[in-house]
């Protein structure tokens, strides 16, 4: 009888240990789930209440130049005073996926160049291929940081844009830009409180009519992307062939109607 009770006790203890172990594994799996940044938009036109932009839902956006953009590579620097969205639309996402967008960007307004000869001019507009973006975070110590970023990349292939020149050019007749580029998401310096701070997660429901995308002069080289609830570090960078390129500048992004006319509505690029 005593042996039977000991055997039964051992069985119960083993069962309890198994349940405990399963709970630990489940908890670890739950902790491994990561929340991806997403778009928050008005519930309806003119509404002050917001909601998550879900998979299959879209919103038009437009852009305003905040400062001139520059592309530097091969010893040539191209500067364009104006940037516009030829097309721009936010794409919704589900719980474990990041907010995205589709866009075609134009750089124009009297673009100039240095380093490619005094009789060489830039062909305008400089138009990107269809590009996509994803909301991502910075990388700190091989893990996700707190700063919100946006990563841009070609919808297909590696080519991002082609910068063409005309006239007598001493270095090149075109720069074939390839790769990915990331921007910091910042508050609009022109709007109250007028600081232009880097946006950090969690956002805790903050909204605004415009947000600043800043492409720093020292390029972002790595981002933290969450897909299917799992995050990983990913390299970003622009190049022409094996030669690195630097893109710098800043634009303001706002909601728009189908005619790309600005809508003064509050929204947010994060929870």
């Amino acid at each position: 009888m005593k042996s039977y009770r000991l055997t039964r006790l051992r069985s119960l203890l083993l069962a309890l240990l198994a349940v405990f172990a399963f709970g630990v594994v489940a908890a670890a799996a739950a902790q491994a789930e990561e929340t991806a940044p997403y778009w928050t938009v008005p519930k309806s036109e003119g509404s002050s209440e917001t909601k998550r932009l879900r998979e299959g839902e879209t919103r038009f956006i437009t852009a305003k130049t905040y400062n001139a953009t520059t592309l530097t590579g091969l010893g040539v620097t191209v500067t364009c005073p104006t940037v516009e969205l030829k097309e721009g639309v936010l794409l919704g996402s589900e719980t474990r996926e990041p907010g995205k967008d589709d866009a075609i960007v134009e750089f124009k307004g009297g673009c100039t160049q240095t380093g490619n000869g005094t009789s060489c001019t830039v062909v305008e507009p400089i138009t990107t291929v269809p590009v996509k973006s994803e909301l991502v975070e910075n990388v700190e110590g091989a893990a996700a940081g707190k700063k919100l970023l946006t990563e841009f990349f070609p919808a297909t292939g590696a080519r991002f844009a082609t910068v063409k020149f005309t006239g007598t050019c001493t270095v090149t007749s075109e720069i074939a830009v390839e790769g990915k580029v990331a921007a910091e998401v910042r508050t609009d310096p022109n709007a109250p409180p007028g600081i232009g701070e880097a946006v950090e997660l969690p956002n805790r429901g903050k909204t605004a009519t415009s947000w600043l995308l800043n492409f720093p002069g020292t390029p972002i080289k790595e981002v933290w992307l969450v897909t299917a609830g799992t995050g990983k570090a990913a390299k970003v960078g622009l190049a022409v062939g094996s030669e690195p390129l630097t893109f710098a500048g800043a634009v303001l992004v706002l909601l728009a109607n189908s005619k790309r006319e600005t809508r003064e509505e509050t929204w947010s690029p994060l929870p």
Side-chain angles (χ1 to χ4, degrees):
M1 178 67 73
K2 188 175 181 179
S3 176
Y4 170 78
R5 287 178 179 173
L6 287 172
T7 300
R8 188 179 180 190
L9 181 59
R10 289 195 191 97
S11 297
L12 287 171
L13 287 172
L14 288 171
L16 288 171
L17 286 171
V19 170
F20 176 77
F22 178 81
V24 170
V25 171
Q31 290 176 354
E33 288 282 303
E34 294 188 63
T35 300
Y38 56 85
W39 305 116
T40 300
V41 298
K43 284 187 174 180
S44 58
E45 186 173 349
S47 174
S48 59
E49 295 184 83
T50 58
K51 66 167 189 173
R52 179 186 182 125
L53 192 65
R54 293 284 181 183
E55 181 76 30
E57 297 178 329
T58 61
R59 288 289 190 281
F60 291 107
I61 54 173
T62 187
K64 292 182 178 180
T65 306
Y66 182 74
N67 59 28
T69 57
T70 61
L71 178 73
T72 303
L74 301 177
V76 178
T77 296
V78 176
T79 302
C80 293
T82 303
V83 58
E84 292 182 1
L85 289 184
K86 187 176 180 180
E87 296 179 15
V89 60
L90 303 181
L91 306 176
S93 61
E94 292 308 316
T95 305
R96 302 189 301 163
E97 300 293 337
K100 303 177 181 181
D101 87 3
D102 286 340
I104 296 177
V105 188
E106 287 187 337
F107 303 90
K108 52 189 179 181
C111 299
T112 60
Q113 67 80 26
T114 57
N116 205 15
T118 57
S119 300
C120 181
T121 57
V122 181
V123 177
E124 293 188 45
I126 301 169
T127 305
T128 69
V129 301
V131 298
K132 291 186 173 292
S133 80
E134 294 175 320
L135 290 174
V136 294
E137 299 164 54
N138 69 315
V139 178
E140 295 179 6
K146 292 184 178 181
K147 292 181 180 178
L148 184 70
L149 310 175
T150 304
E151 170 195 21
F152 295 86
F153 54 93
T156 58
R159 182 69 58 87
F160 201 100
T162 302
V163 183
K164 295 184 179 181
F165 303 93
T166 187
T168 305
C169 305
T170 58
V171 177
T172 182
S173 60
E174 68 175 41
I175 297 176
V177 183
E178 297 185 344
K180 303 178 180 181
V181 64
E184 303 167 331
V185 180
R186 304 181 70 90
T187 56
D188 182 352
N190 299 318
I195 299 174
E197 297 177 325
V199 174
E200 294 190 354
L201 296 168
N203 177 45
R204 304 193 188 285
K206 294 179 184 177
T207 60
T209 57
S210 55
W211 298 86
L212 184 73
L213 290 182
N214 179 56
F215 297 85
T218 301
I220 298 166
K221 296 182 179 180
E222 195 173 31
V223 299
W224 189 265
L225 171 64
V226 178
T227 56
T230 301
K232 65 178 181 179
K235 300 290 185 183
V236 295
L238 295 175
V240 51
S242 60
E243 189 76 18
L245 299 176
T246 298
F247 177 77
V251 297
L252 292 169
V253 183
L254 309 91
L255 292 181
N257 60 24
S258 60
K259 297 179 181 179
R260 296 189 295 282
E261 298 168 332
T262 300
R263 288 170 56 177
E264 294 294 327
E265 294 181 306
T266 58
W267 60 294
S268 178
L270 48 151

